[in-house]
Amino acid sequence: MKIIKKAQDLKNILLSVKKSNKSIGLVLTMGNIHKGHLSLIEEAKANNRFVLVTIFINPTQFNNQKDYNSYPKTLENDVKKLQSLSFDLLYLPEVNDIYPKGLIKKKSVTKYRNILCDKFRPGHFDGVTTVVDIFFNIVKPNNSYFGEKDFQQVKFINELVKIKNHKINIIECASIRDHLGMSLSSRNSKLNKSQLEIFKKLANKIEKLIDLIKQKNTKIKLEDFKKDLSKININKIDYFEIRDEENLEVSDDCSVSRLFIALYIDKIRIIDNFKLY
Ligand code: PAF
C-alpha cells in the first residue's frame, strides 16, 4: 500500500493506472477505520484491479465546529489497520487540496429532503455530496463503495451520480454489525464505559422490538417505545421511524421497510437502520 498526500502525486498515479486500463475502485472514508470500512475495501479489491482509499475528515459536512473538532482522529492506527489489507493506494489530502477556493458546499440533490438526518442536520448532506462530487471528479473511479449504515447518505450519492452524470457504479454494502446487532460506526468508538452500558441496553431493546414488529407487522406503537427509552437514559431522539427503503417514505408495509433510528447517548449521536423483512 502506497501512501500519498500530494494532489499532483495522485494525478500522476491515476494517469498511469488509466493508461493501463485497470478498473478503479474507490473507498472514501473519514478515518477511524473499523471492520465496516475494511469490508468495503475487501469488496473493492475483489472487483477492481486498482483500489484507492482516502481518509479525509470533511469539514463541510459537520453542523458545527465543535463536532468537527471532536471527530475521532486516529491516523496512525488507521494506517496500521489498512496496511494489513494490501490495496494499492491511500490518499490523505489536506483541506486546501479538496477545497482550494474555501469551504463552499453546494446543494445539488433535492430528493429525500426534510426527513431523517436531513431534517435534524440541515446542510449535512450538501457537505457530503459536495466532497463526494469533488473526489469523483478527481478520481473518476469505475466503482465506489458505501456502507448501508448511512442509508440516506447512499440515496443522496445515487442521486448525485444521476444529476452530475458520473459514469460510476455506486456499490451499496451491507452494514457490518457488532455482537449486539448494531452497525459499526466511528462515532461509537467514543462511548465510555457507562455509555456503553446504555448502548447495550438499547441494542437489546431494539432486537426485541424488531422481533415484535416482524410478528405483528407495524401495529406496534413506536411512540410508547420511544418514551420507554428514557428509562435507560436516552432522552434525545431525532427519529425512530419505519420507512420504505426504496423511496424513504413513511411506510406500514414491513416487507419493503427498515426501522431508521437516530438518537443520543449523552452527546454521542447513534444512527442505524434495521431491515424489517
Ligand atoms: O460516510 C462517510 O464517512 C462520509 O460521509 C464520506 C462519504 C466519506 C464523505 O465525507
Side-chain angles (χ1 to χ4, degrees), residues 51-69:
V51 172
L52 166 61
V53 178
T54 64
I55 296 181
F56 178 68
I57 303 179
N58 173 34
T60 64
Q61 71 188 77
F62 290 86
N63 291 92
N64 57 62
Q65 191 67 28
K66 211 170 155 198
D67 197 21
Y68 173 59
N69 292 341

Side-chain angles (χ1 to χ4, degrees), residues 1 5 35 50 58 83-85 102 115 149 154 183 191 207 212 214 220 228 232 238 241 249 261 265 270 276:
M1 174 184 91
K5 291 187 176 171
K35 284 186 184 151
F50 185 89
N58 173 34
Q83 247 146 7
S84 66
L85 283 192
I115 55 168
K149 192 212 97 202
V154 184
S183 294
L191 295 167
E207 191 184 359
L212 214 63
K214 281 182 179 165
I220 295 289
D228 210 45
I232 57 165
D238 281 351
E241 297 170 344
E249 279 168 21
I261 70 159
I265 296 180
I270 308 290
L276 297 176

Side-chain angles (χ1 to χ4, degrees), residues 115-253:
I115 55 168
L116 302 172
C117 286
D118 186 56
K119 182 170 167 190
F120 291 91
R121 300 188 64 191
H124 163 70
F125 287 121
D126 298 326
V128 171
T129 49
T130 299
V131 80
V132 170
D133 193 40
I134 291 169
F135 276 116
F136 281 179
N137 283 323
I138 297 174
V139 180
K140 297 195 178 10
N142 301 80
N143 304 301
S144 191
Y145 297 77
F146 296 89
E148 278 188 348
K149 192 212 97 202
D150 299 302
F151 203 85
Q152 194 178 11
Q153 167 170 285
V154 184
K155 294 279 180 201
F156 267 77
I157 291 169
N158 274 309
E159 275 301 296
L160 174 80
V161 165
K162 273 191 218 155
I163 291 164
K164 299 280 179 162
N165 214 5
H166 287 297
K167 304 278 175 282
I168 301 169
N169 300 313
I170 300 303
I171 315 294
E172 302 173 20
C173 301
S175 290
I176 302 296
R177 296 183 180 273
D178 60 18
H179 66 289
L180 303 165
M182 303 290 276
S183 294
L184 298 183
S185 161
S186 301
R187 284 176 190 268
N188 297 2
S189 69
K190 291 179 9 181
L191 295 167
N192 66 25
K193 216 170 156 199
S194 62
Q195 291 162 341
L196 252 176
E197 283 311 308
I198 300 175
F199 186 74
K200 280 183 195 160
K201 286 179 192 159
L202 171 70
N204 187 268
K205 278 183 177 290
I206 288 179
E207 191 184 359
K208 286 188 183 138
L209 174 71
I210 289 171
D211 282 348
L212 214 63
I213 295 176
K214 281 182 179 165
Q215 280 167 34
K216 298 198 176 181
N217 212 314
T218 48
K219 286 171 192 58
I220 295 289
K221 289 204 174 71
L222 289 183
E223 283 312 311
D224 292 346
F225 184 87
K226 280 162 71 176
K227 274 184 205 143
D228 210 45
L229 288 180
S230 64
K231 289 187 191 144
I232 57 165
N233 264 325
I234 292 177
N235 299 308
K236 187 172 174 200
I237 299 170
D238 281 351
Y239 55 81
F240 207 100
E241 297 170 344
I242 295 173
R243 287 183 180 261
D244 184 307
E245 63 175 11
E246 207 38 56
N247 53 28
L248 293 190
E249 279 168 21
V250 173
S251 168
D252 55 12
D253 179 359

